[in-house]
Amino acid sequence: MSPLNWDGSAPSSGRTESVRELTTGVPGLRLRVTAIGAPDVAVRVGGGERLLLVEAEPVGERAARVRVEWRLPSVGATGLWRPHTDSRWLPPSWSKPRVADLAAGAPIGSLIGAGDAALCTFAVGELLLPVTIGEGAVEETGEFVWWVEHQVDGAPLRLRLDLTGRHFADTIAEMVQWWGGSRSPVPEAAFEPVFCTWYVRHLEITAAEVERLAALAAPLGFGAMIVDDGWQTDETTRSYATTGDWQPAPGPFPDFAAHLARVRELGLAYLLWVALPFAGERSAAGQRFADRRLAYLEELETSVLDPADPEVRAHLIERLAALVEVYGADGLKIDFIDTFARYATDRAAVAQGLGALLADLDARLRGPRPGLLIEHRQPYVGPGLWPYATMVRATDCPHNAVENRVRTADLRLTAGPLAVHADPLTWHPDEQPVEIAVLLQSVLFATVQVSVDLGAQRDEQLAVLRFWLSVMREHVELLQRGGFRPHRPELGYPLLAADRGGELAFGRYAPVPIAVTGAWRLLLVANADPDPLVRLEFDRPPGPVRLLVQDCAGGTVAAATVAVPGAELVVTVPRGGLLTLVPGDLPGRG
């Protein structure tokens, strides 16, 4: 059962390796542990019959690479869930492995079968240093194989396996709890709708333009504004040549502190974009650190700095701190952290340097300002970053409702305490109101971001935006902080569900029935599908209910109290509309 390299070749010989084959009480499960560079390996397997904790460490050497491989019959598998949002296909076992560390990825995954059952969910306990992960279908045997490997030095490799067959979201949630980790509470402001300048203006922004957009955004229900790339440069081309100094451009932003104050007076938090790894060729930082970089990206005209270098870290901390301490920014959108990993020759050293950078920056900024907002984004989503962020965003997917829905749902599963943000929604000025509503419904279970010219929107477009922002704000506890269960990942999550304290919310993105279980006092259904017949299947007769059907802008389509003698209710809800149900007696009853 020797693991193959990603290209299908056998492991290299000539290294000291110790191997242990293990038996378990799980039918079909085979387990193998290897210490590379040590004469022996110690293995402990704990937990129950189908919920295992494997701990492995070298014997005879303090430091060595340890690998755990396990296999199961690939029976009934429908998709492979991984945190970086991919096609959900079952890759072949010889596929290139992924690497998760502080800068990118997360060491977790789930093989899923029919009915959203987790055939096998796993997580690795290493949160900082690189973990190499292989997974795929074995052509010769019909099995599915996984292997995880990382350097062990004083603490064992810890692997948790869940083969209970429960809903995959529940098994992932328990893995996230197992990761643990402590951090300060996420500020309420992290869950407020955000207006972002990126898609609407790109680098063509000025203080006056930001203030115009802010004045339009605040009355609609936005709570924060992200000023993206462009505030630090007079240039308007898509280049990163001027990144790295992180000082306001005096031309478009002549009095930066006064400008920030004017936006904040509107009731909006003000966040600034920074590309943490970049020092462009036309910046002072690019010249200063030309010999302390991981790579030079000619097409982007920028260096990728080395966070393992203490002077690089000190420079970045001072410049980013000034944006908060001198100018009064309420937070930072920290971009491109994954680029550190992409160009690192020593990912462990880079991960450790990045950890030191983020920890020092957090102590400098968020220590005295616990309400400061810090945004990260896919694919840097691992639990090792939780202490240094308040929200994590779906990666760029403009104009794509399905991708945004899938990415935010994936993030909800592994974000831990962080607020999950959608990639900014954007649309053509001629877009129909119902289509705008569908975009908003697709990210109903995340914090919405929007990036359009609000001054160019028609009244009916603004009405849709205003209505759905009000729904999101009113039900933020249910939608973003309640229990979350996405369904059918292999189909792009046609149904999303949340529950909190007797309140239920569903996002319906395909003509699927909605199962309602347990007692409830509020039920919301957002219908994004062209099929208007919303079918609710209750596990017990709900009795009479009061219902309200609203269109995409919140206009009343139907309001009634209806008897439901059986366990099924079918309600006509237009695309882009909202159904609200509450238990209630028929008129004339007590």
Side-chain angles (χ1 to χ4, degrees):
M1 200 174 72
S2 177
L4 298 177
N5 292 328
W6 70 266
D7 59 358
S9 62
S12 60
S13 58
R15 298 178 298 179
T16 301
E17 291 189 0
S18 57
V19 180
R20 291 210 174 196
E21 305 274 357
L22 303 175
T23 58
T24 71
V26 180
L29 175 64
R30 294 193 288 160
L31 200 65
R32 180 184 187 186
V33 180
T34 305
I36 304 167
D40 199 1
V41 59
V43 184
R44 296 177 295 277
V45 180
E49 180 181 352
R50 304 189 72 86
L51 189 60
L52 307 179
L53 177 62
V54 180
E55 296 181 300
E57 56 190 329
V59 175
E61 295 287 345
R62 174 181 171 85
R65 293 194 66 79
V66 173
R67 175 189 294 223
V68 179
E69 178 191 4
W70 67 104
R71 296 185 178 210
L72 282 169
S74 185
V75 176
T78 60
L80 179 65
W81 182 93
R82 294 183 283 193
H84 53 281
T85 304
D86 56 13
S87 67
R88 309 301 190 213
W89 74 315
L90 302 182
S93 60
W94 43 262
S95 298
K96 184 176 181 179
R98 57 187 170 108
V99 179
D101 60 14
L102 188 68
I108 191 170
S110 183
L111 182 66
I112 301 170
D116 293 331
L119 305 180
C120 179
T121 298
F122 78 91
V124 180
E126 175 58 56
L127 307 184
L128 172 67
L129 299 177
V131 178
T132 304
I133 304 165
E135 52 216 332
V138 181
E139 300 168 3
E140 295 84 356
T141 66
E143 295 173 299
F144 201 89
V145 62
W146 297 259
W147 57 269
V148 297
E149 177 181 319
H150 69 75
Q151 183 75 10
V152 168
D153 188 356
L157 182 154
R158 300 173 69 236
L159 168 70
R160 195 167 190 257
L161 299 178
D162 188 319
L163 303 110
T164 59
R166 295 173 296 152
H167 193 284
F168 80 97
D170 297 339
T171 64
I172 292 172
E174 290 188 7
M175 295 295 181
V176 170
Q177 291 178 347
W178 176 67
W179 277 331
S182 60
R183 58 154 296 114
S184 56
V186 173
E188 296 292 329
F191 298 90
E192 293 278 347
V194 174
F195 185 88
C196 178
T197 63
W198 179 240
Y199 290 135
V200 63
R201 283 293 176 264
H202 289 99
L203 278 77
E204 296 182 0
I205 55 173
T206 64
E209 179 64 2
V210 170
E211 291 170 31
R212 179 185 75 87
L213 292 168
L216 294 169
L220 290 171
F222 290 96
M225 187 158 196
I226 292 177
V227 176
D228 216 292
D229 191 0
W231 63 270
Q232 80 292 347
T233 180
D234 293 319
E235 300 182 11
T236 58
T237 60
R238 298 283 285 274
S239 167
Y240 295 101
T242 57
T243 58
D245 294 336
W246 305 121
Q247 295 174 325
F253 293 91
D255 189 340
F256 205 51
H259 158 67
L260 261 72
R262 288 191 292 271
V263 172
R264 297 182 75 212
E265 286 172 1
L266 296 170
L268 297 175
Y270 195 114
L271 285 76
L272 283 167
W273 170 89
V274 290
L276 193 65
F278 291 169
E281 64 179 27
R282 291 193 290 279
S283 72
Q287 300 300 315
R288 177 184 173 187
F289 297 115
D291 61 342
R292 281 168 281 185
R293 63 193 185 191
L294 300 174
Y296 176 73
L297 310 182
E298 184 175 359
E299 68 280 12
L300 301 181
E301 301 179 288
T302 187
S303 295
V304 178
L305 297 178
D306 184 358
D309 185 274
E311 288 190 33
V312 167
R313 296 200 301 270
H315 164 79
L316 291 172
I317 290 169
E318 288 302 318
R319 290 301 170 89
L320 270 58
L323 302 177
V324 175
E325 297 168 350
V326 176
Y327 298 108
D330 297 296
L332 301 173
K333 171 181 177 174
I334 300 183
D335 213 352
F336 293 109
I337 285 178
D338 55 308
T339 306
F340 287 127
R342 190 174 304 129
Y343 294 99
T345 55
D346 184 344
R347 284 191 66 160
V350 167
Q352 290 172 326
L354 175 60
L357 169 60
L358 295 176
D360 290 346
L361 182 64
D362 185 74
R364 172 80 173 264
L365 293 182
R366 295 184 64 236
R369 303 170 191 83
L372 196 77
L373 302 174
I374 301 293
E375 181 193 280
H376 292 173
R377 66 154 172 85
Q378 287 177 313
Y380 38 101
V381 299
L385 291 172
W386 292 350
Y388 313 125
T390 58
M391 55 262 216
V392 57
R393 175 178 61 84
T395 199
D396 296 19
C397 49
H399 298 275
N400 197 321
V402 175
E403 189 73 5
N404 226 342
R405 177 176 80 241
V406 172
R407 289 186 175 278
T408 51
D410 286 345
L411 285 172
R412 280 293 304 271
L413 295 175
T414 58
L418 306 184
V420 170
H421 281 228
D423 187 54
L425 305 181
T426 188
W427 54 83
H428 190 275
D430 294 334
E431 187 60 275
Q432 294 301 306
V434 67
E435 302 300 336
I436 297 172
V438 169
L439 286 172
L440 291 158
Q441 290 174 325
S442 294
V443 298
L444 186 63
F445 300 89
T447 299
V448 67
Q449 294 195 17
V450 173
S451 186
V452 295
D453 187 346
L454 297 172
Q457 303 300 300
R458 304 188 303 275
D459 288 345
E460 57 268 31
Q461 293 172 313
L462 291 175
V464 169
L465 184 56
R466 187 179 295 108
F467 170 63
W468 281 102
L469 289 183
S470 72
V471 171
M472 293 171 173
R473 293 176 69 105
E474 179 182 357
H475 299 290
V476 62
E477 294 296 320
L478 167 61
L479 296 173
Q480 296 193 53
R481 291 175 169 172
F484 179 66
R485 178 170 284 192
H487 295 276
R488 304 298 300 275
E490 77 279 13
L491 298 180
Y493 299 133
L495 182 68
L496 300 177
D499 66 273
R500 186 180 179 91
E503 297 182 342
L504 306 176
F506 299 92
R508 178 181 182 265
Y509 308 100
V512 295
I514 298 172
V516 182
T517 59
W520 53 276
R521 57 186 176 85
L522 173 70
L523 192 154
L524 304 175
V525 180
N527 180 39
D529 191 74
D531 172 24
L533 297 181
V534 173
R535 185 180 304 276
L536 301 170
E537 298 177 349
F538 300 90
D539 65 345
R540 67 198 72 178
V545 296
R546 297 195 301 272
L547 66 82
L548 173 66
V549 178
Q550 295 169 280
D551 64 19
C552 64
T556 298
V557 175
T561 302
V562 298
V564 187
E568 183 176 282
L569 175 65
V570 179
V571 183
T572 299
V573 183
R575 184 166 185 251
L578 177 67
L579 168 65
T580 303
L581 284 181
V582 295
D585 288 336
L586 292 171
R589 297 185 180 178

